[in-house]
Amino acid sequence: MTEAAVDKRFYLDDLHVGQRFVSRTHLIDAEQIKAFAGQFDPQPFHLDEELAKDTLFGHLAASGWHTAAITMRLLVEGGLPLVGGIVGAGGDIAWPKPTRPGDTLQVESEVVAITPSRSRPHRGTATVRSRTLNQRNEVVQELMTRRTD
Amino acid sequence: MTEAAVDKRFYLDDLHVGQRFVSRTHLIDAEQIKAFAGQFDPQPFHLDEELAKDTLFGHLAASGWHTAAITMRLLVEGGLPLVGGIVGAGGDIAWPKPTRPGDTLQVESEVVAITPSRSRPHRGTATVRSRTLNQRNEVVQELMTRRTD
């Protein structure tokens, strides 16, 4: 796996299918989980350890949107070093497992497709799969994004 | 369009295809946009009006993940009143237009499919499309989620 140097950023023309990037790590704790949930996803299983016990999670879990936001931070800070930044028109997101307090998250991204523009040279769309893993190497989020240049 | 009363919450069995729900509204400003971006998506076009002018947006714009997080808050607070809360295994997300300072966001949700479980009575999967609209009735986010009960 190639770990990209922080100061090197890639144009679409530089990317190739199979190319991989790895982010730095982020340690999430209960305080962060509750703060995000209080602002954006105020449900018992994201807010309170005791209340969470009686829910489908059985323990405090981060909002999926919190996992997504942390993933974005890791991608922006070197996890996906693209010239012009990371601007997605959208994508497909899945949370196969919850993120829990004490988890250390890291994002592995892989270029899975590149579609050149038919009309504009040096333009096209890159499809990138970004997997967010915890310290047990379990996938807590999988994100497929298309980026057009 | 049916606006759900805040205190009525629905089981999967109560839902039908075509059923619609409308959230309350949320006014977003530059301060919120910069605070979220500073924490989760520190790119120039989300952080600074002046720097944003030279980017593809041409103006300060909210992170798509910020729009997603606000949408979740609106869904949790009555925009999608489901018993047991809103827990998605994932979905498809698109941001057709950026969210800007001064936008008033509101979420319209529609049940687009219900698939009963073959093995478990009263269980199944509901597919809900949630459109986040601004005050000009432009769609800034479209989210398709599947929820299994």
Side-chain angles (χ1 to χ4, degrees):
Chain A
M1 185 170 301
T2 307
E3 185 148 2
V6 172
D7 57 348
K8 163 132 199 203
R9 294 195 168 256
F10 294 80
Y11 286 91
L12 187 71
D13 273 0
D14 303 326
L15 298 177
H16 61 264
V17 171
Q19 198 167 6
R20 300 180 77 169
F21 303 97
V22 182
S23 79
R24 67 170 178 84
T25 61
H26 177 85
L27 172 62
I28 190 169
D29 60 23
E31 190 180 354
Q32 293 168 48
I33 288 174
K34 294 174 191 176
F36 186 96
Q39 199 173 357
F40 295 116
D41 192 350
Q43 301 190 87
F45 34 79
H46 301 319
L47 286 170
D48 185 289
E49 287 89 345
E50 284 305 311
L51 294 176
K53 287 182 183 170
D54 296 327
T55 67
L56 77 169
F57 289 108
H59 55 77
L60 190 71
S63 169
W65 302 108
H66 192 186
T67 301
I70 291 169
T71 297
M72 188 62 186
R73 173 102 201 190
L74 293 173
L75 290 175
V76 167
E77 292 187 340
L80 189 59
L82 301 179
V83 172
I86 305 174
V87 181
D92 199 80
I93 193 164
W95 298 292
K97 280 184 173 287
T99 296
R100 305 179 59 155
D103 278 359
T104 298
L105 303 181
Q106 187 168 34
V107 187
E108 297 182 1
S109 297
E110 182 174 352
V111 179
V112 293
I114 295 173
T115 312
S117 167
R118 291 187 182 188
S119 54
R120 298 184 303 166
H122 307 295
R123 300 281 173 143
T125 301
T127 304
V128 176
R129 179 178 56 223
S130 295
R131 286 203 178 101
T132 309
L133 305 163
N134 64 23
Q135 70 280 12
R136 291 177 296 280
N137 226 33
E138 297 165 332
V139 178
V140 294
Q141 180 180 290
E142 182 164 313
L143 175 67
M144 289 281 281
T145 49
R146 297 168 298 280
R147 180 180 190 271
T148 302
D149 265 293
Chain B
M1 185 171 299
T2 306
E3 184 148 0
V6 172
D7 56 348
K8 162 132 201 206
R9 292 196 169 257
F10 294 81
Y11 286 92
L12 187 70
D13 273 1
D14 303 326
L15 298 178
H16 61 266
V17 171
Q19 198 166 6
R20 300 180 78 167
F21 304 98
V22 182
S23 78
R24 68 170 177 83
T25 61
H26 177 85
L27 172 63
I28 190 169
D29 60 22
E31 191 180 352
Q32 293 168 48
I33 288 173
K34 294 174 191 176
F36 186 96
Q39 198 173 358
F40 296 115
D41 192 350
Q43 302 191 87
F45 32 80
H46 301 319
L47 285 170
D48 186 288
E49 286 89 345
E50 284 305 310
L51 293 176
K53 287 182 183 169
D54 295 327
T55 67
L56 77 170
F57 290 108
H59 56 76
L60 191 70
S63 169
W65 302 108
H66 192 186
T67 301
I70 291 169
T71 297
M72 189 62 186
R73 173 102 202 191
L74 293 173
L75 291 175
V76 167
E77 292 187 339
L80 189 60
L82 301 179
V83 172
I86 305 173
V87 181
D92 200 80
I93 193 164
W95 298 293
K97 279 182 174 287
T99 296
R100 305 177 60 154
D103 279 359
T104 297
L105 303 181
Q106 186 169 33
V107 187
E108 296 182 2
S109 297
E110 181 174 351
V111 179
V112 293
I114 295 173
T115 312
S117 167
R118 292 187 181 187
S119 54
R120 298 184 304 166
H122 307 295
R123 299 282 174 141
T125 301
T127 304
V128 176
R129 179 179 55 223
S130 295
R131 285 202 178 103
T132 308
L133 304 163
N134 63 23
Q135 70 279 11
R136 292 177 297 279
N137 226 35
E138 296 166 332
V139 178
V140 294
Q141 181 179 290
E142 182 164 314
L143 176 67
M144 289 281 283
T145 49
R146 296 169 297 280
R147 180 179 190 271
T148 302
D149 264 295

